Structures are given as structure tokens and as C-alpha cells.
Amino acid sequence: MSVTPVRIPMYDLRGEYLSMRPAIDAAIRRVLESGTLTMGPEPRAFEEEFARYCHARHAVGVGSGSAAVHLALLACGVGPGDEVITVPNTDIPTTMAISHCGASIVWVDVDPRTFNMAPERIPEKITRRTKALLVVHLFGHPADMDPIMAVARNEGLRVIEDAALATGAEYRGRKVGAIGDIGCFSLAPTKILGATGDAGVITTDDEDLAARIRVLRNYGHDLSMDDHEGLLAGVRAWTLVAEGFNERLDAVHAAVLRVKLPTLDERIARRRHIARLYAELLRGLDVVLPYEDPAVRHAYRAYPILVRGRDHVRDHLARRGIATQAYYTPLLHLQPVYRHLGRGVGSFPVAESVAERLVCLPIFPSMTEEQVREVAAAVRECVPPAA
Ligand SMILES: Cc1ncc(COP(=O)(O)O)c(C=O)c1O
């Protein structure tokens, strides 16, 4: 089968680098010349800057978004015998973090407009074993946090936000990740704020949770960043208080993230501009365009549309050299890895109906208006007008 070369990709990491090249090159050189490649001043400075950006009291850099979710659950005390409620339309790092803690995954269906956890469906999933709600802000649209927090506070549950896809998104004027007990971010290269490789960060207002995560990410050493330098200087003892993980944020990644963070809002604004343009160009077609609740700032990590005959639409765009994705389909409960949980087709009707029709179109800050028009024109070629 011949494959048409991709002319309009889902991301443009090379373009992003070139647009900031002198500052990124200087930051990497600074770290290499400093000789401090793990821990040290760069991760510490990034943590302070990211915490300030999110209006959170603490930020703790970690090795990936997957590590962020796993360590957040462990820090909240999630363990064997516990249940954690989350959604089936997410990437596997969300659910594997639950299983890696020895806890059980409990899925709940989603809201048909935002595709996020449906607050009104949560109470029926709560049992005596429920420990936490693991809330995903899918594609950059915040989940409806007020009613979710109300249920959690009522039932004494922890709330962990999986904001891997929503860095910089806002819910009623508050940054996601700073609303629940802990926020988890992926800073992988293709994310809204991306490092030069795998990276992640956790935000929290809770001093104890932050301290626990600092220990867990660093093998189990009872060390703050400052102590690390004390240890290297020989003035600080080696104290192990847990069996942790090697999940620190590397200094090179932190330095590059510090270059990109000040431009984040501008780049989110660009994503939002592209989303508005798509909405204008796709108007009148038989498609469901992304919903944006008036109380949120959508960060548009993806531009999800719902269409009939999804595979036909994706094939047509592929023939025009336009990349698309149908993220997280088939849904997690229908994947072989979770067959043992016994959730067949029909278990989560809203999530399943969305998954059948979902196509994510390219959206990235350096995408030109011409490229957006070309994608929209290709969609027009294969999708009929609304009835
Ligand atoms: C919802 C969600 N959570 C967590 C992660 C894990 O992030 P990472 O790839 O940085 O490990 C991802 C990755 O895309 C994700 O989509």
C-alpha cells in the first residue's frame, strides 16, 4: 500500500525549536558547562517558575507525565485494596499508575460535550474502598472541577488532576493542576509545554504531599534540592526514608523548559486562534466541533471533531497528506490489557459514542492559516453539509 507523504503533520517540533533556537542552544550550553546535570539550580528554578505560573505553592519536577501520575497517587497513600475513579477515554499512563500502586481502576462515563469525567455519574461509582478521583482534562479542555471537588470533599476523597494534555488551561480563572490536591503535567516534547525529551511536573499547595514526592522521585532520599548540594559538598548525611524511584527532572530539560515557559501563553493564544479559524471554516458541515465552556480557557492540545464515517474522513485527509489522530481509541476498557476487568462494549455509552466518531485535526502554534484552510477544505471535500 502506498502512503502519501505527510505535508501537514500533527506537530512541528523542529519549527518550535528553530523559533527559539538561540535561547535554547544557550540554555543547553549553560547546563553542560555547569557540570550539574541532575537536580541543582535549573530544575529548582523551573519548579519555582512553574509553580508561580500555575498559582500553586509547590511544583516538583519529575521524569515524565506517567511518573507524575504514579508518584501523585503514591503520595496520596493510594495502595492495595483502594479504588480510584477515572475515565476510559484517556492514555494508559492514567490507569497504569493506579494499577502500579496496587489499587483498582473504576471507570466512569464522560460528559458528551467536553468528553471529561461526568460529575453526576461519580456518586454511583463510590464504594467504601474509593480513595481518589483521578480527573483527566482531555485535549486541553478542563473538566468541570466545581461539582467534582464538591463530591470529593463530601466523601473525603483525594482529587488528582491529570493535566498532561492541558498545561495552561484555566477553569473559572484558575489554572488546571492547582484546583485538586495535586496536578500532574506531562512535559514530553509534543505537549503544550514540551522539553527536549521525557519530563513532567507535579503541582500542589500541600507541603507534605510535595515533600513526599520529592523523596519518591529521588530514590527515597530525604533530601530537598538544597540538601542535594549539601550532600555533594559532604556536609549532609545520606538518609533513605523510602524505596523510591529514579524519576527526577533532568537539568537540560529544565533549562529548555525555562526558555519556553515565558512564551507559553502566547503559544496557547495561537492554538486558540487556529481553533477559532477551524470553527469558522467548518461551520455548516455535518460535524460536531469542539465545545468550549464559557467558564474555561481551552488550551487546545488537540482539535477534536466528531464525524460520521470517521475512518473514511481520516483516509481522505491522509490521501491529501494531512495527518490526523483518533486519540485513545479503542478506549481503554476495550483494550486487551484490561480484558480481565470485564467491561465490554456498551459499558460507557457516551465515551464509546464519542470514540466512534472522533478525529483530531492538526493544531500547533506554528501552523499557518494556509495550512488550516487546506485541512478545512479537505474535510469539506468528504463531509456533507449539516441536514
Ligand atoms: C492523559 C495523559 N496522562 C498522562 C500521560 C503521560 O505523560 P508522559 O508521556 O509524559 O509520560 C499522557 C501522555 O500523553 C496522557 O495523555
Side-chain angles (χ1 to χ4, degrees):
M1 192 182 82
S2 75
V3 177
T4 312
V6 173
R7 288 177 307 101
I8 306 184
M10 293 300 283
Y11 325 105
D12 178 19
L13 300 185
R14 184 179 141 78
E16 184 168 313
Y17 165 59
L18 294 178
S19 72
M20 292 179 255
R21 184 176 191 161
I24 290 177
D25 287 357
I28 292 173
R29 198 172 328 114
R30 186 176 70 232
V31 172
L32 295 179
E33 286 173 358
S34 77
T36 304
L37 304 184
T38 52
M39 314 284 269
E42 294 289 346
R44 186 164 55 225
F46 172 70
E47 288 176 348
E48 278 164 19
E49 290 158 12
F50 193 77
R52 205 173 312 129
Y53 176 80
C54 291
H55 305 289
R57 286 183 52 214
H58 308 278
V60 185
V62 292
S64 66
S66 303
V69 184
H70 184 200
L71 300 189
L73 292 175
L74 286 174
C76 286
V78 172
D82 293 332
E83 293 175 352
V84 177
I85 297 176
T86 192
V87 290
N89 58 340
T90 179
D91 203 351
I92 193 167
T94 312
T95 46
M96 73 190 189
I98 300 171
S99 304
H100 289 333
C101 292
S104 304
I105 302 161
V106 176
W107 283 300
V108 64
D109 211 347
V110 299
D111 177 89
R113 290 193 301 185
T114 66
F115 316 154
N116 285 319
M117 185 178 280
E120 69 280 6
R121 308 306 300 265
I122 300 170
E124 70 205 50
K125 299 288 177 181
I126 294 175
T127 71
R128 280 188 301 111
R129 296 169 60 198
T130 309
K131 181 87 174 194
L133 306 180
L134 178 46
V135 182
V136 178
H137 302 298
L138 196 70
F139 301 148
H141 191 296
D144 194 1
M145 291 305 289
D146 279 352
I148 290 173
M149 292 305 294
V151 177
R153 294 299 174 243
N154 221 7
E155 302 284 344
L157 305 176
R158 291 287 202 175
V159 176
I160 294 107
E161 293 177 71
D162 182 341
L165 304 172
T167 312
E170 291 177 6
Y171 175 82
R172 299 191 189 283
R174 298 172 69 189
K175 287 275 178 347
V176 299
I179 303 171
D181 296 291
I182 304 194
C184 306
F185 296 85
S186 169
L187 304 172
T190 61
K191 297 302 193 308
I192 295 170
L193 175 65
T196 37
D198 283 315
V201 64
I202 291 168
T203 46
T204 182
D205 283 342
D206 185 320
E207 180 98 47
D208 290 342
L209 289 177
R212 242 173 274 163
I213 292 162
R214 285 184 200 285
V215 166
L216 287 172
R217 70 163 175 191
N218 192 29
Y219 304 105
H221 289 197
D222 184 12
L223 287 180
S224 71
M225 289 276 195
D226 294 329
D227 292 338
H228 180 72
E229 280 144 19
L231 181 70
L232 293 179
V235 297
R236 180 69 163 77
W238 167 267
T239 311
L240 291 161
V241 294
E243 284 184 327
F245 302 84
N246 177 3
E247 288 292 0
R248 297 165 303 194
L249 173 64
D250 288 333
V252 166
H253 295 326
V256 171
L257 290 163
R258 293 184 65 206
V259 172
K260 293 186 176 181
L261 184 58
T263 69
L264 179 58
D265 282 331
E266 203 179 292
R267 285 182 292 121
I268 291 174
R270 182 69 201 152
R271 287 176 180 275
R272 292 177 55 73
H273 172 74
I274 292 166
R276 275 195 302 274
L277 189 55
Y278 266 138
E280 240 170 65
L281 296 168
L282 298 175
R283 195 175 301 141
L285 291 183
D286 186 20
V287 297
V288 178
L289 298 176
Y291 173 72
E292 183 168 341
D293 187 300
V296 311
R297 176 170 87 146
H298 195 326
Y300 289 103
R301 163 52 170 50
Y303 191 83
I305 62 172
L306 304 186
V307 293
R308 274 185 249 266
R310 181 262 304 278
D311 294 341
H312 164 70
V313 172
R314 291 195 68 198
D315 288 348
H316 181 81
L317 268 65
R319 280 196 296 277
R320 294 273 182 272
I322 297 167
T324 61
Q325 287 285 346
Y327 287 118
Y328 317 138
T329 70
L331 297 172
L332 287 177
H333 65 288
L334 302 174
Q335 295 283 354
V337 61
Y338 291 127
R339 198 169 288 143
H340 63 285
L341 297 181
R343 295 296 183 166
V345 173
S347 301
F348 305 101
V350 179
E352 289 170 28
S353 143
V354 169
E356 262 170 33
R357 295 174 292 150
L358 180 78
V359 184
C360 293
L361 302 179
I363 187 164
F364 49 89
S366 61
M367 195 174 180
T368 62
E369 290 205 1
E370 205 180 13
Q371 287 176 314
V372 181
R373 287 181 196 285
E374 197 177 328
V375 175
V379 174
R380 281 199 167 273
E381 285 166 1
C382 61
V383 170

